Amino acid sequence: MADQPTSMERLIQGILPENPVYRQLLGLCPTLAVTSGMKAAITMSCAVAFVLLSANVIVSLIRNLLKPHLRIVIFTLTIATFVTIADRILAAYMYQMSKTLGPYVPLIIVNCIILCRCEVCASKQPLLTAVSDAVGQAAGFALALSSIAAVREILGTGMFFEIRVLPTSWPDWVIMVLPPGAFLTLGLLLGAVNWMGSLHSKNRQGKEGGEKT
Amino acid sequence: MNYLLEILLIGIGAALINNFVLHYFVGICPFIGVSRQVVTAFGMGCAVTFVISIAAFLSWTVTTYILVPGAPLSSWIAEFFISAERASRIDLTILSYIVYIFAIASSVQFVEMYVRKFFPPLYQSFGVFLPLITTNCAILFACLLIMGHIVGVDNPEDVWDLGKSLTLAVFGGVGFTIAIVIMAGIREELDFCDIPGPFRGAAITLVVAGILAMAFMGFTGVDSGLKKVLTLSTVEKTINGDHLDHMKNN
């Protein structure tokens, strides 16, 4: 298969060209819910990365044993097992953080990103490709989460990683850390990413057109 | 507190104040994906409400009878193998996520087959959404909320019974339906608007959802206000009743 991207290409594609949040609009629930602060966002993306990587490895290893009509159930059960592990680890070593994240850690089970990567990539590709794909997608997810969290935390509390970056005279935009702020930030950032993407492709087209003529 | 009053507060809390979509951000995927037309949005909302009630019933039953420490079924089985004192301390809550997702997936499959066989028109109207619902976060989220009110509650009186759990689930589904239908209504109008290119589609939907969430923030505090009014009126009634009795006696 010549048109299949190599493992390195998959890694890079996951970060921006096929970013799970901004491009594929997957896994929006945690994206909106845990991005009121940077710490929660980073912890969440680490948990998702762990589950995504482990699930991709397992699914890729057993891909030849899978029956087509049972595969979704197998994927879901694999993911649920790793989510339970991640949840227990969080509760054991980062109790306060696991209280803050609350039900959103178990909700990783129904996170479409992981199911989508298992279905699209890991169940058809060898181990190395599946791993690099998982790393790329996890990095893209972390990038999206931290960009949203940075905007919300700085505008909402004037702090970044709980260290003050804006002057104390800054009026906190409380709405940014409340639910509506999540929707607004994601909507505006999504628009900005689309805009930059269209500029980029227009530039490229312009250059190619110029070279031809 | 009066049981009916509690049920009422749970219902209003789940449907309006802590709306699943606009406050907890669960079920965003269908909220963005299936909210183009009011009719399909309503169908999706009904399907979610239907499945969420079944899932809540299953999760409450499984949690209460099997998963919690000292649950009747698991300790009864364990008593065959270990001493009764140890059997009553068996804690299976670590399995809860796997059990819930399995219960949801199988019940969705089952409901789909049942509806297809016995209610073909209903299947025509919302059957296509049913498989999608398995990976809808709202369902699992409702199960987890119910689990939070059963597992790890110190006071036995605060443990939720089936009635409260079902109320939460049904009204959570109603809240989801309200949100997605409003959203679909707005998006039908948005089609006639001149939106800047990069914002077409999901971006403007999210911004509109943000404004909608701001509107729903207006419901904050409705529950405590309602509680105050309702408890006051019952208190007044009893006081008046006492007063009348007193007068009669005199």
Side-chain angles (χ1 to χ4, degrees):
Chain A
M1 282 180 278
D3 57 336
Q4 281 282 338
T6 62
S7 49
M8 200 57 212
E9 279 171 7
R10 276 177 189 273
L11 185 96
I12 294 164
Q13 264 187 355
I15 297 175
L16 256 187
E18 276 184 34
N19 188 293
V21 174
Y22 288 131
R23 285 286 173 207
Q24 307 175 39
L25 292 176
L26 293 176
L28 291 183
C29 312
T31 314
L32 293 167
V34 301
T35 48
S36 57
M38 276 303 277
K39 273 187 178 171
I42 297 287
T43 320
M44 188 67 184
S45 33
C46 287
V48 169
F50 165 73
V51 177
L52 182 54
L53 194 59
S54 325
N56 257 15
V57 167
I58 296 288
V59 169
S60 173
L61 286 178
I62 61 170
R63 67 182 186 280
N64 294 328
L65 303 172
L66 287 175
K67 300 276 175 288
H69 53 283
L70 278 178
R71 64 181 199 289
I72 300 285
V73 179
I74 304 285
F75 293 165
T76 318
L77 287 182
T78 320
I79 296 167
T81 315
F82 285 112
V83 168
T84 310
I85 296 172
D87 184 52
R88 292 295 93 197
I89 292 174
L90 271 183
Y93 294 104
M94 303 172 75
Y95 184 70
Q96 210 51 50
M97 184 49 77
S98 96
K99 277 269 177 265
T100 318
L101 292 179
Y104 296 103
V105 177
L107 281 180
I108 296 175
I109 300 173
V110 283
N111 194 325
C112 334
I113 296 174
I114 301 172
L115 204 63
C116 170
R117 286 344 281 179
C118 285
E119 167 77 22
V120 173
C121 178
S123 62
K124 297 185 186 103
Q125 304 290 337
L127 186 61
L128 188 67
T129 318
V131 167
S132 69
D133 185 73
V135 172
Q137 294 287 328
F141 186 66
L143 181 75
L145 237 66
S146 44
S147 60
I148 298 164
V151 172
R152 284 183 71 192
E153 195 178 357
I154 291 175
L155 291 182
T157 62
M159 293 193 269
F160 186 64
F161 270 112
E162 297 176 6
I163 297 166
R164 185 157 281 283
V165 287
L166 294 177
T168 34
S169 58
W170 171 259
D172 292 347
W173 296 7
V174 182
I175 198 82
M176 294 308 274
V177 284
L178 291 174
F183 285 112
L184 291 179
T185 315
L186 181 59
L188 295 177
L189 281 179
L190 195 62
V193 169
N194 283 347
W195 181 63
M196 284 193 285
S198 66
L199 274 190
H200 187 69
S201 60
K202 213 179 274 174
N203 262 347
R204 188 182 283 170
Q205 272 177 2
K207 267 182 195 166
E208 280 170 6
E211 279 163 11
K212 271 175 196 167
T213 53
Chain B
M1 198 166 41
N2 195 339
Y3 186 75
L4 271 179
L5 180 58
E6 261 182 82
I7 290 273
L8 183 70
L9 291 180
I10 290 170
I12 289 176
L16 296 177
I17 303 162
N18 297 333
N19 188 287
F20 273 26
V21 179
L22 300 171
H23 186 268
Y24 287 124
F25 312 110
V26 290
I28 297 285
C29 304
F31 184 65
I32 307 274
V34 202
S35 61
R36 275 179 209 287
Q37 289 173 326
V38 173
V39 181
T40 38
F42 187 70
M44 185 71 191
C46 289
V48 166
T49 312
F50 186 53
V51 175
I52 216 171
S53 324
I54 295 169
F57 173 73
L58 279 177
S59 73
W60 184 86
T61 317
V62 169
T63 317
T64 317
Y65 286 95
I66 301 174
L67 293 179
V68 289
L73 204 62
S74 54
S75 55
W76 179 69
I77 294 172
E79 267 174 38
F80 288 111
F81 306 103
I82 50 179
S83 69
E85 199 249 335
R86 274 178 64 205
S88 68
R89 277 189 283 128
I90 281 186
D91 187 356
L92 293 177
T93 42
I94 194 165
L95 290 177
S96 48
Y97 305 155
I98 298 175
V99 172
Y100 291 160
I101 197 72
F102 204 69
I104 294 170
S106 48
S107 66
V108 168
Q109 277 287 322
F110 204 70
V111 165
E112 194 195 354
M113 288 193 299
Y114 182 78
V115 169
R116 185 160 51 185
K117 180 97 172 89
F118 293 103
F119 305 100
L122 197 65
Y123 182 77
Q124 288 292 322
S125 59
F126 72 61
V128 284
F129 300 127
L130 277 174
L132 280 178
I133 289 173
T134 318
T135 51
N136 186 336
C137 339
I139 316 284
L140 185 65
F141 183 76
C143 294
L144 291 168
L145 270 191
I146 291 165
M147 179 188 139
H149 284 285
I150 301 173
V151 179
V153 180
D154 298 325
N155 187 0
E157 282 185 8
D158 292 341
V159 174
W160 276 20
D161 56 7
L162 186 58
K164 285 180 191 170
S165 309
L166 277 181
T167 315
L168 176 87
V170 171
F171 279 91
V174 169
F176 177 83
T177 315
I178 292 173
I180 198 172
V181 166
I182 292 177
M183 193 69 222
I186 295 174
R187 278 185 86 175
E188 281 186 357
E189 294 297 316
L190 268 184
D191 287 344
F192 303 110
C193 297
D194 186 21
I195 303 159
F199 279 91
R200 290 208 183 114
I204 194 71
T205 313
L206 282 164
V207 174
V208 170
I211 297 166
L212 208 58
M214 269 187 228
F216 268 71
M217 271 172 70
F219 286 113
T220 318
V222 168
D223 55 343
S224 56
L226 203 66
K227 193 167 144 188
K228 209 181 282 172
V229 169
L230 289 174
T231 40
L232 263 186
S233 60
T234 44
V235 168
E236 267 169 16
K237 258 180 217 158
T238 47
I239 291 173
N240 285 345
D242 285 352
H243 194 60
L244 284 177
D245 287 347
H246 200 64
M247 280 171 65
K248 265 182 209 162
N249 288 346
N250 274 352

